[in-house]
Structure formats: C-alpha cells, structure tokens
Amino acid sequence: KILFIDIIKALKLFLNFHPDSFPLILSFENHCSIPYQEVMAEQLVNNLGKMLYIPEQESLLSGRLPSPMELRGMVVIKGRRPS
C-alpha cells in the first residue's frame, strides 16, 4: 500500500534534485469524498508549497495558460473540480 503523502514527498524530493525538469502533471481520477479531497489538497499545498502550480485569478479569467518552460520544476494537477 502506497500512501498519498508518500507520493507527494517523493515528487518533492525529485524536484529538489531536478529543479529544471519540465512540469510533472498529475492526473487525478478522484473518487474520494469531498472532506478527503480537502485533506489531499492541504497535503499538496503544505508539502509542495511554491512547487505546486496554482493559477492566479487573472490567468483563469484571461484563459492564458503558462508554457511548459514557465512551469519548469513545478507540479500541475489535472482533474475535475468537485461538484
């Protein structure tokens, strides 16, 4: 059994040793409850910090996405928002 937090810590360790790597894209097929999704989000933010790409409000409104070069050394989350 592999814990979610252990995966996040491994990603952080990898990025610490390879800060110029292209972004790591995590695609979540998430079937967890909303409260546990909140725990997962908290673990991502607390452990990855600035390595986690969180779009700013302006980029969400303009629709402009950063290039892979701008996201070097970062983790990008791909998934659906909870409904």
Side-chain angles (χ1 to χ4, degrees):
K1 200 178 216 186
I2 301 174
L3 300 177
F4 179 76
I5 191 69
D6 291 337
I7 294 168
I8 302 308
K9 288 179 180 177
L11 291 173
K12 182 177 182 178
L13 183 64
F14 174 83
L15 291 173
N16 283 333
F17 283 104
H18 300 77
D20 292 331
S21 66
F22 279 99
L24 300 176
I25 300 172
L26 304 181
S27 180
F28 287 169
E29 179 74 24
N30 202 332
H31 299 282
C32 299
S33 66
I34 298 296
Y36 192 69
Q37 288 181 40
E38 291 171 354
V39 168
M40 291 170 67
E42 184 178 318
Q43 289 177 344
L44 284 163
V45 170
N46 289 342
N47 286 281
L48 294 175
K50 293 186 177 198
M51 293 177 188
L52 180 64
Y53 171 66
I54 301 174
E56 295 181 12
Q57 186 69 23
E58 298 151 5
S59 65
L60 291 173
L61 294 175
S62 71
R64 182 196 172 281
L65 296 174
S67 72
M69 293 298 281
E70 293 174 302
L71 294 172
R72 283 186 161 218
M74 299 187 83
V75 174
V76 177
I77 307 295
K78 175 186 167 276
R80 294 184 180 179
R81 290 181 169 249
S83 53

